[in-house]
Amino acid sequence: MQQDKKAAELEEIKALEEEKVIEQIEELEKEKEIEVEEVEFETQEILEKKKRREAIFEMALFFVLGVLLGITMKTEAVKRITIGFNDYLIAKPTQSYDITAIKKGLDAQMAEQQAAQQAAQTQPQTQKAN
């Protein structure tokens, strides 16, 4: 009987040790999962920081590009456009067309066409009457 008790006790001890080992393995697996989640979280944080840094860098590049384009446009505009107190120095270009003469010529042509139309209308009426 004592041997049965000892054997049962040994089996219980082995079972307890196996349970402890299983619990330790489960705890290690949980710790590994937590570590993996922490690593994933850290990598996500790192990626977000990189994205933010890239966005700031792009905005800085756009700002520099805008400043350079602004300076270029201003220098070109100064060369071609004059606005301000020097306007009285600019020579007024002569018009290559005399608008009033063209208008008078067109009015004369219109009057001639109307007279020709009236003459054309009156001739058939006089021929019908004869």
Side-chain angles (χ1 to χ4, degrees), residues 4-19:
D4 288 337
K5 286 183 180 178
K6 286 184 180 181
E9 285 178 5
L10 286 174
E11 287 178 15
E12 285 180 19
I13 292 172
K14 286 181 181 178
L16 286 174
E17 288 177 357
E18 287 177 3
E19 286 179 15

Side-chain angles (χ1 to χ4, degrees), residues 57-71:
F57 183 70
E58 285 181 15
M59 295 303 277
L61 286 177
F62 280 124
F63 177 74
V64 170
L65 180 66
V67 168
L68 292 175
L69 282 174
I71 291 170

Side-chain angles (χ1 to χ4, degrees), residues 15-45:
L16 286 174
E17 288 177 357
E18 287 177 3
E19 286 179 15
K20 286 181 183 178
V21 169
I22 291 172
E23 287 177 4
Q24 288 177 351
I25 290 172
E26 288 176 355
E27 286 178 12
L28 288 173
E29 288 176 356
K30 287 180 182 177
E31 287 177 7
K32 285 181 182 178
E33 288 176 6
I34 291 172
E35 288 177 3
V36 168
E37 288 176 2
E38 287 177 357
V39 168
E40 288 177 0
F41 183 72
E42 288 176 3
T43 56
Q44 288 176 353
E45 284 182 348

Side-chain angles (χ1 to χ4, degrees), residues 64-99:
V64 170
L65 180 66
V67 168
L68 292 175
L69 282 174
I71 291 170
T72 304
M73 290 174 66
K74 183 180 179 207
T75 55
E76 291 300 316
V78 165
K79 292 178 186 177
R80 293 187 174 93
I81 301 171
T82 57
I83 299 174
F85 63 92
N86 288 334
D87 285 347
Y88 69 94
L89 297 175
I90 298 172
K92 185 176 180 182
T94 58
Q95 290 184 344
S96 58
Y97 300 105
D98 188 10
I99 296 173

